[in-house]
Amino acid sequence: MATDPTEQMRYHILEMDTYNLAEQAGMFCDAMNDILSSSGRMFPGSEFTFAYDEPYEVYFEWFFGDVKAGLTFTADRDDSEWFVNSGENMRRRMRMRIGDDTPCSAERFVDEVFSALDTCGN
């Protein structure tokens, strides 16, 4: 069963009260949707977590067996980041700042998620 991560995110983004966080998450979600739509790939079925401490931070996280991937959007846009941890005991770790080029960052995030999934056999 496949999961559309952007639909999981959109529900929570629309509920946010903090414009800055909603804008950042919405831009990343739209960029990720474009990437996934053009590639025809979807995330495999997963557990999904959303947490927030508005107006300071919102957090999206997916668990795919041995792979954990997440997005953190903060009030200070420069501190917003994504991560992908994988392997036994989550030893392989990739963490990057989202930065100003949201589409490029979303593409790198999606590539890292699928690379980790392929490596772990998920």
Side-chain angles (χ1 to χ4, degrees):
M1 181 168 112
T3 299
D4 182 352
T6 61
E7 285 303 313
Q8 291 173 318
M9 289 178 70
R10 264 187 235 293
Y11 169 80
H12 296 289
I13 292 168
L14 293 172
E15 299 293 315
M16 286 182 204
D17 294 326
T18 307
Y19 176 77
N20 178 35
L21 295 176
E23 179 186 38
Q24 287 183 66
M27 288 171 53
F28 196 96
C29 183
D30 289 344
M32 192 164 62
N33 185 59
D34 291 344
I35 293 160
L36 292 170
S37 294
S38 67
S39 71
R41 295 184 85 175
M42 298 299 278
F43 284 12
S46 65
E47 293 179 44
F48 171 73
T49 300
F50 170 75
Y52 64 95
D53 180 18
E54 283 194 78
Y56 309 107
E57 179 178 87
V58 295
Y59 182 76
F60 302 88
E61 187 172 81
W62 295 268
F63 297 92
F64 315 96
D66 289 339
V67 176
K68 180 167 80 168
L71 304 165
T72 302
F73 299 96
T74 63
D76 182 350
R77 188 180 287 261
D78 290 336
D79 291 334
S80 296
E81 63 183 10
W82 59 261
F83 73 87
V84 178
N85 297 339
S86 62
E88 187 178 325
N89 300 320
M90 302 291 167
R91 290 188 180 178
R92 181 177 179 267
R93 297 171 189 214
M94 171 63 83
R95 181 178 299 273
M96 296 201 66
R97 193 171 77 82
I98 291 175
D100 294 330
D101 191 347
T102 303
C104 182
S105 187
E107 184 172 19
R108 183 79 190 270
F109 172 71
V110 169
D111 288 347
E112 286 296 326
V113 169
F114 285 113
S115 175
L117 291 170
D118 291 343
T119 300
C120 291
N122 291 338

